[in-house]
């Protein structure tokens, strides 16, 4: 089976290289590194970063949810290129932490590349992507209050990662799974907040 041009390992390579190139990697640097990869990585990568140990740093899940929501809104609007305001674009993380996080995700990346590869492409078209963008915005709204509970924000971020990965790999079966995970994550999030 041939590898897709948007393989997860290739994205992780770019992130690791970005982290190794600079002491501090800004959100803008990461955005530029992923710029020609379509919209999926703009959802997938921040969600994966939140799921990694970096997501345990207070405030990071909410910041990443804000960034993801900005990208998702642009997907809903049908924009051709991603835009970030300067105050977010200039936020940074240690280059070493970014490189190490990308490296730790490499095994998952290999597994994802092997199992998800362009099935049911109709579920990754522009109309479905816009619907997915709306779902991602709703998931992002649950993150700030869930951040108060240790690692509770991982549930919506896992759903966002699945949707972003589905867009990246053009895999409609994974998109359907992402929608199912979204319903579960929204239910869990609302239940935790209401309880």
């Amino acid at each position: 089976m041939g590898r897709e041009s948007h393989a997860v390992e290739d994205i992780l390579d770019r992130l690791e290289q970005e982290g190794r190139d600079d002491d501090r990697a800004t959100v803008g640097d990461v955005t530029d590194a992923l710029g020609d990869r379509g919209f999926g990585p703009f959802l997938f990568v921040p969600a994966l970063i939140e799921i990694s140990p970096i997501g345990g740093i207070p405030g990071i899940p909410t910041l990443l949810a804000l960034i993801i929501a900005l990208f998702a809104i642009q997907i809903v609007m049908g924009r051709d290129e991603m835009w970030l305001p300067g105050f977010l674009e200039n936020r940074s993380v240690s280059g070493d932490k970014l490189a190490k996080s990308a490296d730790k995700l490499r095994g998952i990346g290999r597994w994802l590349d092997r199992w998800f590869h362009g099935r049911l492409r109709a579920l990754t078209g522009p109309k479905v992507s816009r619907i997915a963008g709306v779902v991602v915005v709703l998931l992002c709204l649950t993150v700030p209050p869930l951040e108060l509970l240790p690692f509770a924000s991982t549930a919506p971020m896992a759903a966002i990662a699945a949707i972003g990965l589905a867009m990246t790999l053009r895999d409609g079966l994974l998109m359907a799974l992402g929608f199912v995970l979204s319903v579960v994550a929204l239910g869990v999030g609302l239940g935790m907040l209401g309880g």
Side-chain angles (χ1 to χ4, degrees):
M1 158 187 14
R3 283 178 51 154
E4 289 280 321
S5 61
H6 297 301
V8 176
E9 281 190 275
D10 183 37
I11 292 167
L12 292 173
D13 288 343
R14 285 182 179 216
L15 289 176
E16 187 172 356
Q17 188 62 47
E18 188 61 45
R20 295 199 189 290
D21 286 347
D22 296 310
D23 289 337
R24 304 286 305 169
T26 66
V27 173
D29 294 336
V30 172
T31 301
D32 290 343
L34 301 176
D36 64 346
R37 293 304 192 175
F39 299 126
F42 292 99
L43 305 179
F44 173 73
V45 170
L48 267 188
I49 290 171
E50 195 279 341
I51 293 168
S52 80
I54 290 176
I57 300 170
I60 294 293
T62 296
L63 174 65
L64 291 171
L66 177 60
I67 292 167
I68 292 168
L70 283 173
F71 290 144
I73 289 167
Q74 292 177 68
I75 291 169
V76 173
M77 293 170 48
R79 287 183 54 99
D80 292 331
E81 293 182 16
M82 289 294 171
W83 169 87
L84 272 178
F87 77 93
L88 280 179
E89 190 172 33
N90 296 323
R91 294 290 300 222
S92 66
V93 67
S94 156
D96 188 50
K97 282 186 180 178
L98 179 63
K100 285 180 179 175
S101 291
D103 190 51
K104 285 182 182 180
L105 294 169
R106 195 156 305 283
I108 294 170
R110 270 198 269 339
W111 183 84
L112 292 169
D113 284 340
R114 185 172 54 241
W115 287 100
F116 300 106
H117 47 78
R119 297 166 289 197
L120 302 173
R121 286 186 184 250
L123 292 180
T124 61
K127 288 181 183 176
V128 176
S129 292
R130 286 182 174 182
I131 293 167
V134 171
V135 170
V136 168
V137 170
L138 293 173
L139 289 166
C140 286
L141 291 174
T142 69
V143 171
L146 287 177
E147 187 178 352
L148 300 174
L149 304 168
F151 299 102
S153 60
T154 299
M157 286 297 189
I160 291 168
I163 289 171
L165 183 61
M167 289 178 173
T168 302
L169 300 177
R170 314 257 192 292
D171 192 307
L173 188 59
L174 185 55
M175 182 67 83
L177 176 63
F179 284 141
V180 169
L181 287 174
S182 298
V183 171
V184 171
L186 287 169
V188 167
L190 292 173
M192 290 177 86
L193 294 174

